[in-house]
Amino acid sequence: MGVVVERSRGKILLAFLGSVGFVVLSLAILTVGSASSLVVGVLGALTFGVFAVGWLLLLFRGGPGLVLDDDGFEDHSSGVAVGRVPWTDVTSVDRWGAFGSAFVVVRVRDPAVYLARLSWLARPAAWANWRMVGSPVTLGSVGLRTGFDHLHGLLLDGFERHRLRPRRAFDDDVGGHR
């Protein structure tokens, strides 16, 4: 199979600038002076500040954003990317969308394994993904040089190819151990 999807520096830069814009807006909300504006302003500035830092770090990270092969995929497309996911760990590939954003949800056999790989900063976001959509392994097309439908198609095709291959007894091992 062997497919490489590069990062999109332009899309990442726009996401960074959007996050910075929301930080500025959140700080402006603080000037209203009410108790609710204080809460909204602080939470907004902190949340979008973390997003801005994540996009900035991703902007300067080298290498491709996503690599798919016959054995699985390597995800480095976002700040909550989990790295290597063998097809033997994948139970389904689905679509999920809300608030104008769409994600590919890759459900895995043992989500805790993938949460444990992440940094202390990325783990809460991945845990929230797990609770909200059923998996900590989610991919968006925002940081990649591809559209969402193509991204979903690539992952679904890789998973289906794996499922159609003749099965071997050790393919059921969690973690893809052989």
Side-chain angles (χ1 to χ4, degrees):
M1 180 177 173
V3 177
V4 175
V5 181
E6 297 295 333
R7 286 193 189 90
S8 172
R9 300 229 185 269
K11 288 164 78 175
I12 293 170
L13 182 60
L14 285 175
F16 167 73
L17 293 174
S19 296
V20 169
F22 276 109
V23 168
V24 170
L25 182 63
S26 297
L27 294 175
I29 289 171
L30 285 173
T31 64
V32 172
S34 69
S36 61
S37 68
L38 177 66
V39 171
V40 170
V42 168
L43 287 176
L46 288 174
T47 300
F48 289 105
V50 169
F51 289 166
V53 169
W55 287 119
L56 190 61
L57 292 173
L58 195 60
L59 188 62
F60 295 108
R61 185 184 294 171
L66 179 67
V67 178
L68 295 96
D69 59 37
D70 289 336
D71 295 321
F73 63 93
E74 184 88 22
D75 176 26
H76 297 288
S77 63
S78 72
V80 294
V82 297
R84 184 74 183 168
V85 179
W87 295 124
T88 54
D89 279 4
V90 176
T91 61
S92 70
V93 174
D94 303 306
R95 301 168 76 110
W96 184 85
F99 310 113
S101 296
F103 296 93
V104 178
V105 178
V106 179
R107 289 189 171 77
V108 291
R109 292 179 191 209
D110 190 357
V113 168
Y114 294 92
L115 282 174
R117 293 181 183 177
L118 297 171
S119 70
W120 65 272
L121 188 59
R123 195 173 294 135
W127 184 85
N129 286 341
W130 182 17
R131 293 295 176 221
M132 189 167 29
V133 300
S135 178
V137 184
T138 59
L139 293 90
S141 62
V142 173
L144 297 172
R145 282 191 197 159
T146 190
F148 175 76
D149 289 333
H150 186 244
L151 174 64
H152 178 254
L154 286 172
L155 288 160
L156 190 58
D157 182 56
F159 177 58
E160 290 299 322
R161 285 177 187 247
H162 168 75
R163 284 184 26 175
L164 295 175
R165 283 191 301 190
R167 307 261 316 162
R168 298 175 298 229
F170 56 79
D171 276 349
D172 289 328
D173 290 345
V174 173
H177 300 291
R178 296 185 184 215

